[in-house]
Amino acid sequence: MVTPAPLRRSVVAVALSGALLAGGTACSSTGARNTAAPQAAHASPTSTAQKQKLAKTRFIANAGLAAGATYQWIVKPYKKGKFKKGANGRTFTVIKAGLAGTFAYNRLKAALKNAKGDPLLSKAVAPLTAGVASLKSLPSKLRKGDGNAASTFDGVINSVKDAGKSAGADVKDKVPSTGQLSGG
């Protein structure tokens, strides 16, 4: 029996997206954390002021990457209607959005951890912990094509950016490479 082409493509797309998301989640949760750890282990002892500055710098970097990924691969396609059923390239857009959502969640968790190193920043960002935690389930909603997940991601990102700005840590969007998204 020969399977019709649209059905074959759907089965392949689902299998591919599952493999990509499983690999992206595993790689991004370990690979992104290990980049700063070796540098910190070899650094000389630093003063409290320097540690606070590094915490703020890391917060800005992590929050910027999360914001860039969210805007580039979740918000922009959502605004263009790429998540709607029947949209051209919807499957690939949803796969990229799922990866971007997982990446953004990971970077936001790292940013909140970084914020704890700066007293002013930790007070500004602490109320957002629950909002970031709520993003954990959104990548799966994005993969299912739920457009409301895109606006939720955007809202949490904007809240983190606003809290950072109020503490003197102005976050700018920084679009990560595709390799960074997949944890490579």
Side-chain angles (χ1 to χ4, degrees):
M1 180 176 152
V2 177
T3 308
L7 181 59
R8 257 194 324 251
R9 278 186 271 182
S10 296
V11 170
V12 170
V14 169
L16 179 62
S17 66
L20 285 172
L21 291 172
T25 302
C27 293
S28 68
S29 65
T30 58
R33 271 191 243 143
N34 291 339
T35 59
Q39 295 167 356
H42 298 299
S44 62
T46 56
S47 70
T48 304
Q50 288 172 324
K51 286 180 183 177
Q52 288 176 357
K53 185 176 180 183
L54 290 175
K56 190 177 281 191
T57 302
R58 288 180 181 155
F59 169 82
I60 291 169
N62 283 318
L65 285 169
T70 299
Y71 184 74
Q72 183 69 28
W73 289 295
I74 298 173
V75 175
K76 267 177 46 177
Y78 172 69
K79 287 180 179 179
K80 291 179 180 179
K82 299 265 185 167
F83 290 114
K84 292 181 181 175
K85 287 190 179 198
N88 190 21
R90 179 180 184 265
T91 302
F92 191 57
T93 301
V94 169
I95 291 169
K96 286 190 296 187
L99 283 171
T102 302
F103 177 83
Y105 172 73
N106 180 282
R107 292 298 83 213
L108 285 174
K109 279 183 46 179
L112 291 178
K113 184 178 177 183
N114 298 138
K116 292 177 184 175
D118 182 79
L120 185 59
L121 194 54
S122 65
K123 289 177 187 172
V125 178
L128 301 173
T129 304
V132 172
S134 72
L135 295 179
K136 188 173 185 173
S137 64
L138 290 181
S140 65
K141 290 182 180 180
L142 284 169
R143 288 189 297 269
K144 293 176 184 171
D146 183 354
N148 292 330
S151 59
T152 303
F153 255 108
D154 195 33
V156 171
I157 292 288
N158 288 331
S159 298
V160 170
K161 288 169 75 173
D162 290 343
K165 188 173 187 174
S166 72
D170 196 17
V171 176
K172 305 280 186 215
D173 291 9
K174 183 174 186 320
V175 178
S177 69
T178 311
Q180 286 175 307
L181 273 186
S182 64

